[in-house]
Amino acid sequence: MPPSPTRPQGRPSATDHAAIEHAAFRLFEEQGFDNTTMEQIADAVGVGRRTLFRYFPSKNDIPWGQFDESLRHFREQLASQSLDGTVADAVHRCVVSFNDFDPATLAQHRTRMTLILTTPTLQAHSALKYGAWRRVIAEYVARRTTAAPSDPLPALVGHVSLALAVSSYQRWLDHPELRLTDVFEESMRQLRTYLS
Amino acid sequence: MPPSPTRPQGRPSATDHAAIEHAAFRLFEEQGFDNTTMEQIADAVGVGRRTLFRYFPSKNDIPWGQFDESLRHFREQLASQSLDGTVADAVHRCVVSFNDFDPATLAQHRTRMTLILTTPTLQAHSALKYGAWRRVIAEYVARRTTAAPSDPLPALVGHVSLALAVSSYQRWLDHPELRLTDVFEESMRQLRTYLS
DNA sequence: CACCTTAATGGCACTCAGCGCCATAATGGA
DNA sequence: TCCATTATGGCGCTGAGTGCCATTAAGGTG
């Protein structure tokens, strides 16, 4: 027997993250995020409201999809950076690559980010998501600089990297003709110019 | 008759922002922010729950006090900057001065910021407050650089200034012996070093 | 086939933030 | 005394989120 994708045991799942996301985004687009209730999403998926909360800890987390898992990749990519260049270059490379999406999924990503960046409720929630992202960077910088725990640099780099990323995204959403990674590079250049 | 502080007319207020803040902070400290209900605060103030929502649009806004009003000062101070220096210097000066508090109110300010920066619920809500703060900076930069509305620099400067401010605050909260304005300066120096 | 274990579902009831509605209270003025 | 003005606060509702628990749908074992 081939060790088939073992269905462990127990009652099979009635849905999955992708199906919920799909139904939810359709409703968000039709009625807006705040006007869509978890009950409506549950009905659209064909599942109980209670079950939704087992897949996403909150309604605000639905637009973020598998963000938390993607942080693991981000962490690993940072860890595998060569130690030759500067810390700033390594961080910048990984931040850009973290946001370099397959053209096939780009449209979906644009929809996602538009929702997140234009809905106040989600703007607020994103602070928590961003916090986890910043922490990944801060941990890397701390390791690379063998900084004391109280060294302010790691946290600062996390915050500034986020600042660059979010303002790049805002520009990218306004200008669909630009490539996201190019916008990142341009923002970085602008910041360097501004500060000198 | 001296034009006495005209009490306009109508039923007098039963409380004010300061009294609510005071009662709320006491409860937040005793039980934590999330475990404190609006009803408890209302009882402590001696006022109806419904009335609280006329003074603060949400529970999350209570720790921010009169932040929205202070943005007006911030805007005016930026507007009154000399045009001699660089935009970066003007922004930096105003950001530092915005966070230069009277020693008498410093302890209160530290309590406030500790609460905001360590409570996840409030971290999330702060994104909305920060957004308004960033907009003030972005508007100033746009004016000073006569930027096209699509110019990315104003938004970028807003984001990066915020990044500096928040990481400075985190450091200041960890190190009570430091002066907040000094921490700002140090963060700015560190950023310049990091990027060059 | 009956039975057990495992794991997911989903209903129910509850708390709490927030909001719309509106009757009521407390003031100054005519 | 009556009126206009303005704040209060009670009531009832919606909707997110949670704890609890009975139920369902598998796989495995004798």
Side-chain angles (χ1 to χ4, degrees), chain A residues 11-38:
Chain A
R11 177 173 177 168
S13 305
T15 184
D16 55 48
H17 289 87
I20 294 172
E21 254 184 80
H22 192 260
F25 269 92
R26 178 186 303 276
L27 288 166
F28 293 158
E29 216 154 316
E30 283 172 17
Q31 328 176 337
F33 179 82
D34 286 322
N35 293 324
T36 302
T37 71
M38 286 299 264

Coordinates of all heavy atoms in Angstrom, one line a residue, chain A residues 11-38:
Chain A
R11 N -14.4 12.2 12.3 CA -15.3 12.8 11.3 C -14.5 13.7 10.4 O -13.7 14.5 10.8 CB -16.3 13.6 12.1 CG -17.3 14.3 11.2 CD -18.4 15.0 12.0 NE -19.3 15.8 11.2 CZ -20.4 16.3 11.6 NH1 -20.8 16.0 12.9 NH2 -21.2 17.0 10.8
P12 N -14.8 13.6 9.1 CA -14.0 14.4 8.1 C -14.5 15.9 8.2 O -15.6 16.2 8.6 CB -14.4 13.8 6.8 CG -15.7 13.1 7.0 CD -15.7 12.7 8.5
S13 N -13.6 16.8 7.9 CA -13.9 18.2 7.9 C -15.0 18.5 6.9 O -15.1 17.9 5.8 CB -12.6 19.0 7.5 OG -11.6 18.6 8.3
A14 N -15.8 19.5 7.3 CA -16.9 19.9 6.4 C -16.5 21.0 5.4 O -17.2 21.2 4.5 CB -18.1 20.4 7.2
T15 N -15.3 21.6 5.7 CA -14.9 22.7 4.8 C -13.4 22.9 5.0 O -12.7 22.0 5.6 CB -15.6 24.0 5.1 OG1 -15.2 25.0 4.2 CG2 -15.4 24.4 6.6
D16 N -12.8 23.9 4.4 CA -11.4 24.2 4.7 C -11.2 25.8 4.5 O -12.1 26.5 4.2 CB -10.5 23.5 3.7 CG -10.9 23.8 2.3 OD1 -11.1 24.9 1.9 OD2 -11.1 22.8 1.5
H17 N -10.0 26.2 4.8 CA -9.8 27.7 4.8 C -10.1 28.3 3.5 O -10.7 29.4 3.4 CB -8.3 27.9 5.2 CG -8.0 27.7 6.7 ND1 -7.7 26.4 7.1 CD2 -8.1 28.5 7.8 CE1 -7.5 26.5 8.4 NE2 -7.7 27.7 8.8
A18 N -9.7 27.6 2.4 CA -9.8 28.2 1.1 C -11.3 28.4 0.8 O -11.7 29.5 0.2 CB -9.2 27.3 0.0
A19 N -12.1 27.4 1.1 CA -13.6 27.6 0.8 C -14.2 28.7 1.5 O -15.0 29.5 1.0 CB -14.3 26.3 1.1
I20 N -13.8 28.9 2.8 CA -14.3 29.9 3.6 C -13.9 31.3 3.1 O -14.7 32.2 2.9 CB -13.9 29.8 5.1 CG1 -14.5 28.5 5.7 CG2 -14.3 31.0 5.9 CD1 -14.0 28.1 7.0
E21 N -12.6 31.4 2.8 CA -12.1 32.6 2.2 C -12.8 33.0 0.9 O -13.2 34.1 0.8 CB -10.6 32.4 1.8 CG -9.6 33.1 2.7 CD -8.2 32.9 2.2 OE1 -7.8 33.6 1.3 OE2 -7.5 32.0 2.7
H22 N -13.0 32.0 0.1 CA -13.7 32.3 -1.2 C -15.1 32.8 -1.0 O -15.5 33.9 -1.5 CB -13.8 31.0 -2.0 CG -14.1 31.2 -3.4 ND1 -15.4 30.9 -3.9 CD2 -13.4 31.6 -4.5 CE1 -15.5 31.2 -5.2 NE2 -14.3 31.6 -5.6
A23 N -15.9 32.1 -0.2 CA -17.2 32.6 0.1 C -17.2 34.0 0.7 O -18.0 34.9 0.4 CB -18.0 31.6 1.0
A24 N -16.3 34.2 1.7 CA -16.3 35.4 2.4 C -15.9 36.6 1.5 O -16.6 37.6 1.5 CB -15.3 35.3 3.5
F25 N -14.9 36.4 0.7 CA -14.5 37.5 -0.2 C -15.6 37.9 -1.2 O -15.8 39.1 -1.5 CB -13.3 37.1 -1.0 CG -12.0 37.5 -0.3 CD1 -11.3 36.6 0.5 CD2 -11.4 38.8 -0.5 CE1 -10.1 37.0 1.1 CE2 -10.3 39.1 0.1 CZ -9.6 38.2 0.9
R26 N -16.4 36.9 -1.6 CA -17.5 37.2 -2.5 C -18.5 38.2 -1.8 O -18.9 39.2 -2.3 CB -18.2 36.0 -2.9 CG -19.4 36.2 -3.8 CD -20.2 34.9 -4.1 NE -19.3 33.9 -4.7 CZ -19.1 33.8 -6.1 NH1 -19.6 34.7 -6.9 NH2 -18.3 32.9 -6.5
L27 N -18.8 37.8 -0.5 CA -19.7 38.6 0.3 C -19.1 40.0 0.6 O -19.8 41.0 0.5 CB -20.1 37.9 1.5 CG -21.0 36.7 1.3 CD1 -21.1 35.8 2.6 CD2 -22.4 37.1 0.9
F28 N -17.9 40.0 0.9 CA -17.2 41.3 1.3 C -17.3 42.2 0.1 O -17.6 43.4 0.3 CB -15.8 41.1 1.7 CG -15.6 40.3 2.9 CD1 -14.4 39.6 3.2 CD2 -16.6 40.2 3.9 CE1 -14.2 38.9 4.4 CE2 -16.4 39.5 5.1 CZ -15.2 38.9 5.3
E29 N -17.1 41.7 -1.1 CA -17.2 42.5 -2.3 C -18.6 43.0 -2.6 O -18.8 44.2 -3.0 CB -16.6 41.7 -3.5 CG -15.8 42.6 -4.5 CD -14.8 41.7 -5.2 OE1 -14.2 40.8 -4.6 OE2 -14.8 41.9 -6.5
E30 N -19.5 42.2 -2.3 CA -20.9 42.5 -2.6 C -21.5 43.5 -1.6 O -22.2 44.5 -2.0 CB -21.8 41.3 -2.6 CG -21.7 40.4 -3.8 CD -22.5 39.1 -3.6 OE1 -23.3 39.0 -2.7 OE2 -22.2 38.1 -4.3
Q31 N -21.2 43.3 -0.3 CA -21.9 44.1 0.7 C -20.9 44.9 1.6 O -21.4 45.7 2.4 CB -22.6 43.2 1.7 CG -23.1 41.9 1.0 CD -23.8 41.0 2.1 OE1 -23.4 41.1 3.3 NE2 -24.6 40.1 1.7
G32 N -19.7 44.7 1.4 CA -18.7 45.4 2.3 C -18.4 44.5 3.4 O -19.2 43.7 3.8
F33 N -17.2 44.7 4.0 CA -16.8 43.9 5.1 C -17.7 44.0 6.4 O -18.1 43.0 6.9 CB -15.3 44.2 5.5 CG -14.8 43.4 6.6 CD1 -14.2 42.1 6.3 CD2 -14.7 43.9 7.9 CE1 -13.7 41.4 7.4 CE2 -14.2 43.1 8.9 CZ -13.7 41.9 8.7
D34 N -17.9 45.2 6.8 CA -18.7 45.4 8.0 C -20.1 45.0 7.9 O -20.7 44.6 8.9 CB -18.6 46.9 8.4 CG -17.2 47.3 9.0 OD1 -16.6 46.4 9.7 OD2 -16.7 48.4 8.7
N35 N -20.7 45.0 6.7 CA -22.1 44.7 6.6 C -22.2 43.1 6.4 O -23.4 42.7 6.2 CB -22.7 45.4 5.4 CG -22.8 46.9 5.6 OD1 -23.0 47.3 6.7 ND2 -22.5 47.6 4.6
T36 N -21.2 42.4 6.4 CA -21.3 41.0 6.2 C -21.1 40.3 7.6 O -20.2 40.6 8.3 CB -20.2 40.5 5.3 OG1 -20.3 41.1 4.0 CG2 -20.3 39.0 5.1
T37 N -22.1 39.5 7.9 CA -22.0 38.8 9.2 C -21.4 37.4 9.1 O -21.4 36.8 8.0 CB -23.4 38.7 9.9 OG1 -24.1 37.7 9.1 CG2 -24.1 40.0 9.9
M38 N -20.9 36.9 10.2 CA -20.3 35.6 10.2 C -21.4 34.6 9.9 O -21.2 33.5 9.3 CB -19.8 35.3 11.6 CG -18.4 36.0 11.9 SD -17.1 35.5 10.7 CE -16.2 34.3 11.6

